[in-house]
Amino acid sequence: MPSKACSVALAGVGAYAASQAFVGPVASPQVGQQQQVRSLRQGGQAAAQDSSSSSTSAVGVLALGATGAFAAAAQVSQRGQRRAQVARQATAVAEKVFTKMPASVKPGVVTGQALVDLLNYAKENEFAIPGVNIVGTNSVNACLEAAKIAGGPVMVTFSKGGGQFIAGKAADNTNDAACIAGTVAGALHVRAVAKLYGVPVILHTDHCQKAWLPWIDALLEASEDYFAKNGEPLFSSHMLDLSEEPLEENIAICKKYLTRMAKINLLLEMELGVTGGEEDGVDNSNVDSSRLYTQPEEVWQTYQELASVPNGNFTVAAAFGNVHGVYAPGNVTLKPEILHSTQKFIKEKLGCKSDKPVSFVFHGGSGSSHEDIQYAIKAGVIKMNLDTDTQWAFWDGVNQYTKKNEPYLQTQMGNPEGPTKPNKKYYDPRVSLRSGEQSMAARLVQAMKDLNCIDRL
């Protein structure tokens, strides 16, 4: 598939990043979609031709009688109408444009230059995108529904454990086989439905420590295969969390992976400092509190190395007291001023005009105050992670449903309306799960308001 050569700016933006831009192949993420639309249109035209020749077909089946001939002609006409309708629907999805977003950003999964444009647009307009951990199609539905309601982009995030859960806890997980298969399957599912919600979607993976790198290696292979067939990677971005390793090793491994990822237009998120608390098998509850706060010099050292990678796009999760989970007030001390001082430090080092040369991400967003979130966004935060709050919201939706309908959820038959009345419509899993989806979507819409991610399309 031929690709277009275009200048790809580094995600760490500013005058320096612009001057260091590299020319690399960036195939349009709409190529496959346009081919599908053309195919559907041709199918519709072919169906119309079939319909116009239906009289000839009728002559050929006179032996069946007039009724059979008319039925055959009607079936041909109906097929033509259905094909034309599908073609029109696909064309409408493909041609939808956003009036506020950069022209490269379209509905559906966003990758490559379009992703860089989206993140830069978020930083320039001081809003952040929610990065939401999901564990199945129900939480995916809630993410996409919230984005549609709010009118903003969303990041769907797969963890290693979430991938295994999607594959099924009984599946063979030798060499992370279930974790890999579930994550890939989840990504393909999101790609299949994302455009139907009419919003930009970032496909991302969460914390990957050093021992879990084989999981990322397999996902990169999946993206490389997808890129060869479709001109874009399967995922939009991956996160490497090597914050427990020495700084030099952290940077070196990230640079090695970014070099590979840049060849297929994948963005890297890397972590400096440690996010406290526990999440999805990573427990930093007892870490030295000094490691919860990143120093500007560490970010500058990282920036220099990663910005030197041709076509390399990256974001930095610099710790400023972040903790996974929800804790009592006073137990967590966020210092977003660290991000402001870091931007100032790097701007001086670069001698650039931009006040925010680095694109930061905010980990451990659940339970954070509105004031801290807003101050962090002003420092160049373009994405905030959410998991604990959305987990609770989903459960609370299911829990409230069961409380409300408790008399109908005790037996298959028999309820306050009579001993022989069936309860199937109450215990159908789709009903309670839908309540979970709606509750999680509502919590996400509130989060998007806190992140200024409302009416951005």
Side-chain angles (χ1 to χ4, degrees):
M1 181 182 297
S3 61
K4 293 189 237 178
C6 67
S7 178
V8 180
L10 296 170
V13 296
Y16 175 83
S19 68
Q20 296 296 316
F22 295 87
V23 176
V26 181
S28 169
Q30 306 303 320
V31 170
Q33 185 184 75
Q34 292 168 355
Q35 289 177 340
Q36 182 183 21
V37 171
R38 284 197 297 270
S39 176
L40 288 167
R41 282 174 172 166
Q42 291 168 359
Q45 293 168 358
Q49 292 172 359
D50 288 345
S51 179
S52 67
S53 62
S54 62
S55 60
T56 303
S57 300
V59 173
V61 295
L62 281 176
L64 299 176
T67 301
F70 284 129
Q75 289 176 353
V76 171
S77 178
Q78 289 173 357
R79 285 199 300 270
Q81 292 173 0
R82 286 196 298 269
R83 289 174 180 171
Q85 182 181 9
V86 171
R88 286 194 298 271
Q89 290 172 342
T91 301
V93 171
E95 292 177 351
K96 179 176 179 179
V97 295
F98 301 124
T99 58
K100 299 178 182 179
M101 285 278 171
S104 60
V105 180
K106 308 292 183 183
V109 175
V110 179
T111 65
Q113 186 61 41
L115 174 58
V116 175
D117 292 343
L118 172 58
L119 298 183
N120 286 342
Y121 174 77
K123 183 158 57 173
E124 292 165 4
N125 291 275
E126 295 191 344
F127 72 89
I129 300 166
V132 189
N133 283 71
I134 64 90
V135 295
T137 57
N138 293 113
S139 43
V140 168
N141 294 346
C143 287
L144 301 181
E145 182 175 351
K148 182 178 181 179
I149 294 170
V154 69
M155 176 179 284
V156 174
T157 305
F158 296 88
S159 66
K160 183 169 176 280
Q164 183 183 10
F165 191 81
I166 291 171
K169 296 293 285 186
D172 181 8
N173 197 38
T174 304
N175 297 322
D176 294 330
C179 296
I180 295 163
T183 306
V184 170
L188 291 171
H189 170 76
V190 173
R191 278 194 167 275
V193 302
K195 285 195 291 290
L196 303 178
Y197 289 81
V199 296
V201 179
I202 302 170
L203 264 178
H204 184 64
T205 59
D206 206 6
H207 293 266
C208 178
Q209 55 192 357
K210 188 176 180 180
W212 294 354
L213 286 174
W215 173 58
I216 289 293
D217 290 336
L219 300 184
L220 288 180
E221 290 177 8
S223 269
E224 288 164 344
D225 181 63
Y226 195 91
F227 185 89
K229 297 173 181 175
N230 300 281
E232 65 172 334
L234 175 59
F235 295 88
S236 307
S237 53
H238 294 295
M239 189 241 175
L240 298 186
D241 181 1
L242 304 171
S243 55
E244 294 183 353
E245 312 305 323
L247 178 62
E248 290 73 16
E249 183 178 2
N250 181 354
I251 296 173
I253 294 176
C254 285
K255 186 175 182 180
K256 174 185 174 182
Y257 273 84
L258 181 58
T259 300
R260 179 181 177 182
M261 293 166 67
K263 295 175 182 177
I264 55 172
N265 303 320
L266 269 170
L267 182 142
L268 169 71
E269 176 186 324
M270 64 90 63
E271 180 160 355
L272 291 172
V274 174
T275 301
E278 188 276 333
E279 182 181 51
D280 205 8
V282 179
D283 191 350
N284 292 323
S285 301
N286 299 315
V287 71
D288 185 339
S289 60
S290 65
R291 299 185 64 193
L292 299 178
Y293 303 97
T294 304
Q295 300 304 309
E297 292 81 5
E298 296 172 327
V299 182
W300 170 236
Q301 185 177 345
T302 301
Y303 187 98
Q304 285 180 295
E305 289 298 318
L306 297 186
S308 69
V309 175
N311 198 40
N313 299 302
F314 62 94
T315 58
V316 179
F320 56 98
N322 318 63
V323 175
H324 289 134
V326 177
Y327 297 85
N331 285 4
V332 176
T333 304
L334 290 178
K335 297 181 179 180
E337 59 268 21
I338 288 176
L339 304 182
H340 286 269
S341 61
T342 298
Q343 295 283 28
K344 182 179 179 181
F345 180 85
I346 294 180
K347 176 183 178 180
E348 292 174 353
K349 288 289 186 180
L350 295 175
C352 65
K353 294 182 180 180
S354 173
D355 291 329
K356 295 179 283 190
V358 183
S359 291
F360 285 123
V361 299
F362 184 159
H363 283 198
S366 293
S368 299
S369 72
H370 180 74
E371 293 73 21
D372 282 338
I373 292 172
Q374 289 294 310
Y375 196 50
I377 290 173
K378 290 184 180 299
V381 164
I382 45 80
K383 187 260 287 190
M384 186 178 82
N385 285 9
L386 287 165
D387 187 22
T388 303
D389 282 357
T390 51
Q391 285 180 340
W392 171 258
F394 193 97
W395 156 247
D396 191 46
V398 174
N399 189 34
Q400 294 303 320
Y401 172 82
T402 58
K403 287 180 179 179
K404 178 181 177 181
N405 297 285
E406 184 176 3
Y408 298 85
L409 297 172
Q410 305 308 307
T411 58
Q412 284 187 296
M413 184 177 295
N415 58 49
E417 298 174 23
T420 60
K421 292 291 184 179
N423 295 316
K424 187 178 187 303
K425 67 179 181 180
Y426 294 97
Y427 62 75
D428 183 333
R430 291 172 294 184
V431 185
S432 56
L433 289 173
R434 177 58 185 152
S435 293
E437 290 178 357
Q438 291 174 311
S439 179
M440 179 175 168
R443 177 62 185 88
L444 267 175
V445 170
Q446 180 57 54
M448 295 179 80
K449 291 178 180 177
D450 293 338
L451 296 170
N452 306 330
C453 193
I454 297 286
D455 192 24
R456 291 294 182 175
L457 305 181

